[in-house]
Amino acid sequence: MRSLLLVATLLIGLSPVLSAQTSGPVNVNDMVLEVMRTDIGKDKEGMAMWLPQEFFLAAGMAQSPGLDSGSLAKDLDFLQDYSVFMVQAKTKGEDGPRSLSTAQLRASTSLVDEAGRAVKPLSDLPPKVENLLNLVRQSFASRGNEDFRLLVFPGRTGADKRVFASPLRKGSLTLKVGKVDEFSGMTMTWKTPLASCVKPRPCAKCGETFQAAWSYCAWCGQAGGAK
Ligand SMILES: [Zn+2]
């Protein structure tokens, strides 16, 4: 578990500025904890990180605080059309640990939203997306971790091209990896909005912090209690 957390931090800790103040509205360290899910069992080590556009933006700003966040957001705008996940699905077999390949994960994984709409990972990606994924891969490879796969799903669905998954909108996202060989499968869910991306407001009744994803105040039970 500790090594997984470390790896998650390394993804964005490409430079030592992690301890520095971020100038963007989103704190990337808070976001790392929110976008990561683990499923550790006796025979498996599963992990997934949802990497929305807002994540790359926060990571970019953490690395280069001098950047203009508006223009970086514009540069990364193409990511709104995709949902990127970093996935590790590892079994601890008799012959040592084995990780599912990208092809195995692509075939066995789907992403489902709160309305039950499901999408499968894409296999053909435009160069812009491939280039970004390569940067992420390089940062992992340079740290000796080869077990992570990157899965890219469509970011919009339906005739209205509605954004499938947004850390800013109320909803949920579920990543389902089916059983493959000895890997027993895993299901991970993210509830949105992410607290790191949406400013909490005070509860209308008790005045305590009311997170945007909550339907009820955790402190006094007030329904939809934000002012
Ligand atoms: Zn309250």
Side-chain angles (χ1 to χ4, degrees):
M1 182 64 196
R2 201 171 149 262
S3 68
L4 290 177
L5 268 171
L6 185 67
V7 164
T9 310
L10 289 177
L11 169 72
I12 52 159
L14 308 173
S15 65
V17 297
L18 264 181
S19 55
Q21 285 288 325
T22 57
S23 54
V26 175
N27 182 304
V28 75
N29 295 314
D30 292 345
M31 201 169 174
V32 165
L33 297 174
E34 272 198 289
V35 295
M36 191 171 71
R37 294 286 179 277
T38 54
D39 184 355
I40 316 278
K42 195 160 71 73
D43 303 312
K44 73 175 169 188
E45 206 171 278
M47 184 200 146
M49 270 178 89
W50 176 27
L51 305 177
Q53 187 253 10
E54 288 79 358
F55 182 87
F56 286 99
L57 181 60
M61 291 308 295
Q63 270 183 270
S64 317
L67 282 178
D68 172 43
S69 65
S71 63
L72 183 61
K74 218 172 156 192
D75 288 347
L76 293 172
D77 199 43
F78 68 96
L79 281 173
Q80 300 284 4
D81 291 332
Y82 303 94
S83 298
V84 181
F85 285 81
M86 192 174 71
V87 181
Q88 175 190 289
K90 207 172 181 178
T91 51
K92 304 170 193 165
E94 259 184 312
D95 303 321
R98 269 192 57 200
S99 288
L100 296 190
S101 69
T102 304
Q104 284 175 313
L105 279 171
R106 253 190 219 133
S108 60
T109 305
S110 55
L111 186 64
V112 187
D113 77 354
E114 71 278 1
R117 297 176 304 176
V119 285
K120 294 289 291 177
L122 301 164
S123 45
D124 284 322
L125 295 166
K128 230 177 180 175
V129 179
E130 279 293 355
N131 290 342
L132 189 74
L133 297 189
N134 281 334
L135 282 178
V136 177
R137 284 190 193 103
Q138 278 164 22
S139 80
F140 272 97
S142 70
R143 294 175 192 273
N145 196 313
E146 311 278 347
D147 290 325
F148 287 90
R149 317 292 179 218
L150 290 162
L151 296 182
V152 181
F153 299 83
R156 297 174 194 273
T157 52
D160 57 352
K161 298 272 177 209
R162 187 163 171 268
V163 172
F164 190 78
S166 167
L168 307 177
R169 177 166 58 79
K170 191 151 183 141
S172 77
L173 265 186
T174 300
L175 187 81
K176 290 182 180 174
V177 182
K179 184 183 180 311
V180 183
D181 300 334
E182 320 96 89
F183 188 78
S184 56
M186 60 184 182
T187 299
M188 288 150 166
T189 297
W190 290 259
K191 299 273 188 199
T192 57
L194 299 182
S196 57
C197 294
V198 179
K199 241 186 154 167
R201 289 177 298 168
C203 170
K205 193 175 167 194
C206 71
E208 289 287 348
T209 301
F210 193 104
Q211 298 291 349
W214 293 351
S215 298
Y216 294 92
C217 176
W219 314 110
C220 73
Q222 171 84 352
K227 271 178 192 161

